[in-house]
Amino acid sequence: MDRPDDTSDQSRKRRKSEDLETEQVQSGPIEHTKYPFLDVDDFEAFRENKEELEYFNKKEKVKCERKFKRYSLRVNQRKTKTPVELDENVDGIRVAVIGKTGHGKSSTANSLLGKRQFKTGDSNISETDASCVEKCTLSPDGPELTVMDSPGLKHTKRTDRNVVDEMTKVADLLPGGVDVFLYVWNATDHRVSQEDMSVFKTIKGNFGEKFMKHCITVYSNAEGKLVGNMSLDKFISKQDEHVELKNFLDEMDWKIVAVNNSSTTPAEVQRNREELLYMIYRVMNANQQPYTYLKA
C-alpha cells in the first residue's frame, strides 16, 4: 500500500504521534473497528499515525464497496435495499452447515456466529470429525442462533457413509428441526467435477426433495475468484454448461451467497455475517416451518 505524498513527512509524523499519545491517554488505544476497511496488517502498520489510518481507511473503503457488489447477485443487490426481519414469534434460528470436506464449512460457520468456535485448517486434511453445535445470541433481546457443523463428504479419514450418518445427527442435535442448510462450496474454481456432482446427489438423496427449499448455496473463499472483473453473476454463468448443477440451483431458487471467511477487515467480516443472516431470514420467512429429518 502506497503512502500519501507529503513534503514534511517526518515533522507530520512526529506531530501526529504526539497527538496520538495524548489521545490514547485520554481515551485509550485506537481500536481497529474505528477503521473498518483496513485489514489487521494495514492497521498495525499505520496505527501510530491517525492521519494515515484515516487516509488509507477512506481509500480502502472504495475498494471494499466495489468488491462487495461483485460478491452479490444483481437480484440480491436489489432486494437488500429492503431489510428483512424475522417474525417476532421466532424464538431461535437453527442452521446446519454441510458440503464437501475442505471447502470452508467450519470457517463459514464461524463467520455466521461472529467468532471462532469451530476448528479450521488451511491444509487438505479434514478438520471436522464429528457433528457438533455452537450457539450465540444475535442481540440482547434477539433470538438465539444455533449452528451445527458436520464432517464433509470425501473426508480424508472417514467414508462417505460415515459422514452421511454424522449429517443425519441433525435430528438429535437440532431436535426442533433445521431452519436453514448452508451448502458450502469453494469458489476458487468455477469448474464442477464429477465428484462435486456426486456430493450434491448424495446430500440431496439423504435429506430428500423438501430439504432443497431450506438450502442456501454459500460460495466460500470468494476472494479467490470474485475479484477484478469476475462478479458472482459471471461466476455463476460459467456453470450453465453443467445441467445437473443448474437444475440443483434452480431447485434452490438461486439462493446464493458469497463470503470471504479469511478476511480480517472489520467491514468485510460484518458484511459476511449480515449477508448470511439476510438470506437465512428470507428462507425462514418463505418456509414458515423448519425442515424435520425423519430417521429411517
Side-chain angles (χ1 to χ4, degrees), residues 153-154 160 183 193-203:
L153 287 164
K154 308 307 173 184
D160 279 356
Y183 184 92
S193 67
Q194 288 301 314
E195 184 174 84
D196 292 324
M197 294 314 306
S198 172
V199 170
F200 292 154
K201 290 179 180 179
T202 299
I203 291 176

Side-chain angles (χ1 to χ4, degrees), residues 135-151:
K135 301 180 180 182
C136 73
T137 303
L138 293 177
S139 63
D141 18 344
E144 183 177 63
L145 171 65
T146 303
V147 180
M148 184 189 102
D149 190 19
S150 61

Side-chain angles (χ1 to χ4, degrees), residues 92-97 105-120 128 130-138 143-150 173-174 273:
I93 303 170
R94 298 167 294 271
V95 177
V97 185
K105 293 184 288 67
S106 298
S107 295
T108 299
N110 288 336
S111 290
L112 179 57
L113 288 166
K115 53 186 175 180
R116 185 183 173 88
Q117 292 289 88
F118 296 108
K119 184 179 178 181
T120 61
T128 306
S131 296
C132 53
V133 299
E134 294 288 350
K135 301 180 180 182
C136 73
T137 303
L138 293 177
E144 183 177 63
L145 171 65
T146 303
V147 180
M148 184 189 102
D149 190 19
S150 61
L173 295 176
L174 300 175
R273 193 181 195 209

